[in-house]
Amino acid sequence: MREQTTSIWQKKAAVILGAVFCCFLWGSASPAIKIGYEIFSVAPNDTAGRILFAGIRFTIAGLMVIGYQCVTERQFIFPKKTAWGKVCILSIFQTSIHYILFYMGLAYTSGVRGSIINSVGTFFSIGLAVWVFHYEKLSLRKAMGSVIGFLGVMICVTGGSFSSMLQGGFLWQGEGALLLSAFCGAMASNLIKKIGKSENPVTMSGWQFLLGGLTLTLIAVLMGGHLEMKTALGIPLILYMGFISAGAYTVWSLLLKYNEVSTVTILGFMNPVFGVLLSVLFLHEMSEATSWSGLVALLLVILGIIIVNRKKKA
């Protein structure tokens, strides 16, 4: 109990800086993945290639986290026997299913759309915390914020016209996969909060990344997946993508362990902001980001995240 009341991760400055760090890394994921598809010659219909690309990334992420913890604690870090079931559950939701869907979705949509749609995970997370895990109670404020946020995501998905959605503007393998991916990510966030009460969140993150990455790699190899690197830039890119997961999820896990879910997730409004800005910078998606539907969708999502997680003043 003493550790939780005096932890540096409960300090306001650490929470804000940690959340900014995580959101920047996550925001860079969409453009990094799409750039990676070009460098490693992964076509939109190359399912095995996408899974292999993800598997290598998360295997690297797991080794990074485990290696860092082993060095800092000067001993080999290994989950307890009773924790392996939790590691498997986390690897299924946080790595395997989550990122198979995420990588599929990004192959069929833009980085701007992917960044905005992925933010719906914040609202899924609050819903799961209320109805499934019972961490929080539903209030009118949270309900209103969720509605506003979901409206922003719907505008993003439809481009501001529901008729375009009916005419093929919405793809289940694109936007649909991203929505399902966000739900899996929200489930993982709540599982981390629950598991973190009895287990070391850093240890759990490292080993679930490694287990999930190796599982994805094995699946891809059995499917005949392969990657062809066009340029040597692929090496620093895949290492950076491993660090995105290793750095962001480790810090985010610690923030969730020592703070309320809403205290941390309110700062998640920066995630779509970084995602859109970096997609404009690296993917040249200025026209979509500055369209009326893109701007309105982003603003509504940001507003929804802030409202749904804003604490009521005493």
Side-chain angles (χ1 to χ4, degrees), residues 48 52 216-225:
L52 181 58
L216 291 175
T217 301
L218 178 61
I219 292 172
V221 170
L222 293 175
M223 293 174 62

Side-chain angles (χ1 to χ4, degrees), residues 76 117 129 135 144 162 165 181 184 189 243 276 296 309 313:
F76 184 69
I117 295 173
Y135 294 141
M144 289 179 61
F162 284 92
M165 180 175 178
S181 170
C184 289
S189 293
F243 178 73
V276 169
V296 171
N309 293 300
K313 291 184 179 180

Side-chain angles (χ1 to χ4, degrees), residues 243-294:
F243 178 73
I244 288 175
S245 300
Y249 276 111
T250 298
V251 174
W252 199 257
S253 296
L254 290 168
L255 293 176
L256 288 173
K257 177 179 174 67
Y258 293 106
N259 301 277
E260 293 181 4
V261 171
S262 59
T263 302
V264 179
T265 55
I266 189 173
L267 299 170
F269 78 88
M270 295 178 290
N271 195 341
V273 174
F274 282 129
V276 169
L277 290 177
L278 293 172
S279 292
V280 170
L281 180 62
F282 291 105
L283 302 179
H284 311 293
E285 296 178 353
M286 176 66 79
S287 59
E288 183 164 1
T290 56
S291 66
W292 78 266
S293 60

Side-chain angles (χ1 to χ4, degrees), residues 25-40 53 57 102-103 106 111 236-238 240-242 244 275 278-279 282-283:
L25 290 178
W26 279 325
S28 69
S30 292
I33 290 171
K34 294 189 75 68
I35 292 172
Y37 284 162
E38 294 185 11
I39 292 178
F40 288 95
F53 188 34
R57 169 192 173 184
F102 189 66
Y103 274 57
L106 279 181
L237 175 68
I238 198 70
Y240 173 73
M241 292 180 67
I244 288 175
L278 293 172
S279 292
F282 291 105
L283 302 179

Side-chain angles (χ1 to χ4, degrees), residues 55 58-63 66 83-92 95-96 204-219:
F58 292 112
T59 299
I60 292 173
L63 292 173
I66 296 169
W84 274 107
K86 300 171 185 177
V87 171
C88 292
I89 292 173
L90 271 180
S91 71
I92 290 172
T95 301
S96 300
M204 299 297 287
S205 289
W207 282 96
Q208 73 85 15
F209 277 136
L210 182 60
L211 178 61
L214 291 174
T215 300
L216 291 175
T217 301
L218 178 61
I219 292 172

Side-chain angles (χ1 to χ4, degrees), residues 62-311:
L63 292 173
M64 284 181 174
V65 176
I66 296 169
Y68 170 78
Q69 196 177 20
C70 289
V71 170
T72 55
E73 299 193 16
R74 298 181 180 180
Q75 61 178 328
F76 184 69
I77 304 300
F78 201 76
K80 296 178 292 186
K81 291 182 179 180
T82 56
W84 274 107
K86 300 171 185 177
V87 171
C88 292
I89 292 173
L90 271 180
S91 71
I92 290 172
F93 283 100
Q94 190 172 345
T95 301
S96 300
I97 300 177
H98 181 193
Y99 281 100
I100 285 177
L101 293 169
F102 189 66
Y103 274 57
M104 177 192 296
L106 279 181
Y108 291 93
T109 192
S110 67
V112 168
R113 272 196 173 195
S115 298
I116 295 175
I117 295 173
N118 191 48
S119 301
V120 77
T122 297
F123 310 114
F124 284 147
S125 183
I126 295 298
L128 288 169
V130 171
W131 289 305
V132 177
F133 294 91
H134 309 294
Y135 294 141
E136 303 179 21
K137 294 182 179 180
L138 182 65
S139 63
L140 178 61
R141 170 179 50 81
K142 291 177 182 177
M144 289 179 61
S146 296
V147 170
I148 292 172
F150 273 110
L151 179 60
V153 172
M154 288 304 298
I155 291 175
C156 175
V157 168
T158 62
S161 172
F162 284 92
S163 62
S164 68
M165 180 175 178
L166 298 176
Q167 295 170 4
F170 176 91
L171 297 176
W172 278 108
Q173 65 268 41
E175 291 81 3
L178 289 173
L179 290 171
L180 293 174
S181 170
F183 179 82
C184 289
M187 178 66 77
S189 293
N190 280 278
L191 285 172
I192 289 172
K193 176 71 174 178
K194 184 178 180 67
I195 293 172
K197 294 179 180 179
S198 58
E199 307 291 343
N200 186 313
V202 179
T203 301
M204 299 297 287
S205 289
W207 282 96
Q208 73 85 15
F209 277 136
L210 182 60
L211 178 61
L214 291 174
T215 300
L216 291 175
T217 301
L218 178 61
I219 292 172
V221 170
L222 293 175
M223 293 174 62
H226 67 281
L227 300 175
E228 296 179 7
M229 191 168 63
K230 294 180 179 178
T231 169
L233 290 176
I235 295 176
L237 175 68
I238 198 70
L239 290 175
Y240 173 73
M241 292 180 67
F243 178 73
I244 288 175
S245 300
Y249 276 111
T250 298
V251 174
W252 199 257
S253 296
L254 290 168
L255 293 176
L256 288 173
K257 177 179 174 67
Y258 293 106
N259 301 277
E260 293 181 4
V261 171
S262 59
T263 302
V264 179
T265 55
I266 189 173
L267 299 170
F269 78 88
M270 295 178 290
N271 195 341
V273 174
F274 282 129
V276 169
L277 290 177
L278 293 172
S279 292
V280 170
L281 180 62
F282 291 105
L283 302 179
H284 311 293
E285 296 178 353
M286 176 66 79
S287 59
E288 183 164 1
T290 56
S291 66
W292 78 266
S293 60
L295 290 173
V296 171
L298 180 61
L299 290 174
L300 288 177
V301 166
I302 292 173
L303 181 61
I305 292 173
I306 293 174
I307 291 175
V308 84
N309 293 300
R310 183 173 179 272
K311 286 187 175 182

